[in-house]
Amino acid sequence: MKILKFIAFIALLFGITSCHKSKESFLMTAKINGETISIATSAYALKTSIYKDGNPYVNRYIINGLDQNGGFYMWVTDSTALKTEFDFDDFEIVTFSQQETEYPIIAANLKIIKENGDLLIGGFNMTAMNGNDTLHVTDGYFELPFESSICEYKP
């Protein structure tokens, strides 16, 4: 029964996809209540930077793992253009699921490890709860292709 919960929760978080037109698949991994799960998922990242006097002063990252089965969508705005670690209060996460049992996220953190060419590399941890049933997602890791980068310039 716990394995079914793990699979349902992973489907919720990572948006397991069938073969249809989608972004290239990338591997995302995490531990759910201590059990390592690896999922090939269609996902991508976007980055928007706002520049002033030739220097970025705001970065916005969007991490999209949504498809017709569900998944997650995260976005974080860094008004310093320097932060790489974000707590739950610093970013937004929305989850969608076709499953009957929902596990709302009650705590999370996100870390941007680095940008490597057209890849965004990062990590995450989350806690989700449904009644008395708690799922702990730890050691989350992703390498996602940038769909595009958008730059705005301010005089």
Side-chain angles (χ1 to χ4, degrees):
M1 189 64 167
K2 283 231 178 215
I3 294 296
L4 290 176
K5 285 183 188 177
F6 290 152
I7 292 169
F9 188 67
I10 286 297
L12 168 72
L13 283 179
F14 297 128
I16 298 172
T17 60
S18 60
C19 294
H20 64 283
K21 61 180 185 175
S22 64
K23 308 286 180 250
E24 188 174 339
S25 293
F26 285 81
L27 186 66
M28 297 180 81
T29 62
K31 289 183 181 177
I32 299 181
N33 289 348
E35 184 176 332
T36 300
I37 305 291
S38 296
I39 301 291
T41 183
S42 294
Y44 62 91
L46 297 170
K47 179 183 178 184
T48 303
S49 296
I50 300 175
Y51 286 79
K52 185 174 185 175
D53 299 325
N55 297 310
Y57 74 97
V58 174
N59 286 329
R60 177 174 291 133
Y61 295 96
I62 297 172
I63 300 165
N64 187 351
L66 293 175
D67 70 6
Q68 77 275 7
N69 297 314
F72 69 94
Y73 181 86
M74 287 190 269
W75 65 94
V76 60
T77 300
D78 171 17
S79 60
T80 69
L82 300 171
K83 284 179 72 172
T84 58
E85 295 190 33
F86 306 92
D87 290 322
F88 192 48
D89 294 337
D90 297 334
F91 68 97
E92 299 289 328
I93 182 169
V94 178
T95 58
F96 300 92
S97 176
Q98 297 296 326
Q99 306 295 323
E100 287 184 26
T101 304
E102 295 286 334
Y103 282 83
I105 306 296
I106 60 169
N109 66 13
L110 172 68
K111 181 176 183 176
I112 305 296
I113 297 171
K114 71 178 182 176
E115 296 176 38
N116 187 12
D118 57 355
L119 287 179
L120 179 64
I121 301 170
F124 60 92
N125 295 294
M126 297 181 195
T127 301
M129 187 173 237
N130 181 310
N132 292 328
D133 194 12
T134 303
L135 297 175
H136 298 281
V137 179
T138 58
D139 301 327
Y141 178 80
F142 59 83
E143 291 185 15
L144 300 178
F146 278 117
E147 178 68 13
S148 65
S149 292
I150 303 167
C151 297
E152 296 178 28
Y153 294 93
K154 300 286 183 187

